[in-house]
């Protein structure tokens, strides 16, 4: 004979309910700050390069967690930041 399993939680009855609540909350937040959303979508500026740099530095910090003290972490962060600077090409005829 098969014994019945544990009772299902109420959230299992309507799996899409929480998704709809979160989506409604997100939409309400967008509407609240609609001016900033429109400005952010209509400008040519992008924070992508900054976000990418922050992501790289956080990944490095996570990889070094528990391995070394602050001086080594600082040195690695600075070396990583310098190595990812955009490379500029100079025109030899203008020099």
């Amino acid at each position: 004979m098969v014994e019945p399993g544990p009772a299902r939680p109420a959230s299992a009855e309507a799996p899409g309910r929480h998704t709809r609540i979160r989506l409604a909350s997100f939409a309400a937040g967008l509407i609240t700050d609609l001016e900033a959303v429109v400005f952010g979508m209509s400008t040519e500026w992008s924070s992508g390069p900054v976000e990418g740099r922050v992501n790289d530095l956080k990944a490095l910090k996570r990889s070094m967690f528990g391995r070394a003290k602050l001086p080594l972490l600082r040195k690695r962060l600075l070396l990583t930041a310098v190595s990812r600077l955009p490379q500029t090409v100079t025109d030899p005829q203008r020099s």
Side-chain angles (χ1 to χ4, degrees):
M1 178 173 175
V2 177
E3 293 184 24
R8 289 178 22 182
S11 62
E13 299 301 322
R17 180 172 163 249
H18 294 291
T19 303
R20 287 191 302 269
I21 291 171
R22 288 193 307 232
L23 184 59
S25 175
F26 175 71
L30 287 179
I31 291 170
T32 302
D33 206 9
L34 188 60
E35 185 179 338
V37 172
V38 170
F39 180 76
M41 298 299 288
S42 61
T43 184
E44 293 184 19
W45 292 92
S46 170
S47 63
V50 173
E51 294 297 329
R53 179 68 53 92
V54 169
N55 189 36
D56 289 344
L57 296 177
K58 284 183 177 183
L60 178 62
K61 182 180 173 186
R62 280 192 302 271
S63 72
M64 296 214 32
F65 182 78
R67 296 181 184 205
K69 302 288 182 206
L70 188 58
L72 181 59
L73 175 61
R74 182 177 185 274
K75 185 179 279 189
R76 295 240 1 231
L77 287 174
L78 291 173
L79 287 172
T80 300
V82 168
S83 70
R84 300 225 167 100
L85 285 176
Q87 302 297 320
T88 58
V89 177
T90 57
D91 187 5
Q93 295 176 355
R94 299 180 102 199
S95 301

